[in-house]
Amino acid sequence: MSQSLLYTQKNKKSTLILDFFRNFTYNIHMKMKLIVLGKIKEAYLKGGIAEYAKRLSRFCDLKIIELADEKIPDNPSEAECRAVLEKEGEKILKQIAPNDYVISLCVEGKQMPSEAFAETIEKIGSAGFGSVAIVIGGSLGLSERVKSASRLKLSFSKMTFPHQLMRLILTEQLYRAFKIINHETYHK
């Protein structure tokens, strides 16, 4: 066999192996859990979240864990707000496993474009974490203990959104991320 033919066969084999691992990485069926406070009451939000959850089932095992939010008194004091945050934080922390990659959505978090978010999700999947746990706090936000447990603090905007609407935005962005990871088209 000639040198050039051997090189071509080796090169094809290397390319096939690289393609296999590239596709393997993209097709990892990740476990994702959204840990959220409060129930969604509005039908349009429920419908949108359900639609994106259905679309995401091709790419990941999505579990939405809804926790009861604490009652906030009218005109709460700073101490009452801290107490609510701590109680909600305890509930959230009980849902986080030791091998979860925790992402908290919070105002002071890092902002990134959809492509960078997709790259982050892909890297987390390749790193071998058991699952990704994304936390959305209640109307007062998240406790410092929850934020400290997070490997990534993420913000979608400097604007304030209702946490119920944020759940819809997050599921859409997760779907967009997996479409990007898998080199599939998705409207901009």
Side-chain angles (χ1 to χ4, degrees):
M1 221 181 271
S2 74
Q3 287 283 61
S4 62
L5 184 58
L6 277 174
Y7 176 76
T8 304
Q9 286 178 338
K10 283 182 182 178
N11 201 17
K12 281 184 181 177
K13 190 174 184 178
S14 297
T15 302
L16 286 173
I17 290 169
L18 284 173
D19 285 343
F20 168 78
F21 282 108
R22 190 175 297 121
N23 289 332
F24 178 76
T25 302
Y26 295 146
N27 292 321
I28 291 173
H29 210 71
M30 293 179 73
K31 291 183 181 178
M32 314 251 347
K33 58 184 170 184
L34 307 186
I35 304 170
V36 297
L37 288 162
K39 293 203 177 285
I40 302 277
K41 296 175 185 89
E42 295 83 1
Y44 71 95
L45 290 174
K46 283 182 182 179
I49 293 165
E51 176 60 30
Y52 283 111
K54 182 175 84 175
R55 292 180 188 189
L56 279 164
S57 67
R58 286 184 46 219
F59 305 112
C60 67
D61 295 324
L62 179 66
K63 181 179 180 182
I64 299 175
I65 302 168
E66 283 187 342
L67 304 172
D69 49 355
E70 293 294 314
K71 300 294 177 224
I72 304 169
D74 292 336
N75 300 316
S77 68
E78 214 174 287
E80 289 171 318
C81 288
R82 272 195 311 273
V84 166
L85 283 172
E86 287 306 312
K87 286 180 185 176
E88 289 177 343
E90 286 300 318
K91 291 178 189 179
I92 291 167
L93 291 169
K94 286 180 183 175
Q95 300 298 320
I96 296 172
N99 62 341
D100 285 346
Y101 187 100
V102 182
I103 300 172
S104 289
L105 299 187
C106 46
V107 174
E108 70 274 16
K110 179 180 179 181
Q111 292 185 19
M112 60 179 73
S114 297
E115 295 81 7
F117 182 57
E119 186 178 327
T120 300
I121 295 296
E122 185 177 21
K123 284 179 182 176
I124 293 167
S126 298
F129 286 90
S131 70
V132 177
I134 304 177
V135 181
I136 300 175
S139 58
L140 295 177
L142 293 169
S143 72
E144 287 305 316
R145 287 188 57 215
V146 172
K147 292 177 189 179
S148 295
S150 303
R151 290 177 178 264
L152 173 64
K153 293 179 205 132
L154 184 64
S155 173
F156 280 87
S157 173
K158 292 182 186 210
M159 294 180 182
T160 302
F161 295 102
H163 57 280
Q164 297 92 344
L165 179 59
M166 199 61 235
R167 210 180 303 182
L168 175 59
I169 295 169
L170 174 61
T171 53
E172 187 281 334
Q173 282 298 302
L174 284 171
Y175 177 67
R176 184 179 297 271
F178 280 107
K179 293 289 275 187
I180 292 167
I181 290 166
N182 286 280
H183 305 289
E184 295 178 16
T185 56
Y186 186 60
H187 61 83
K188 291 188 177 203

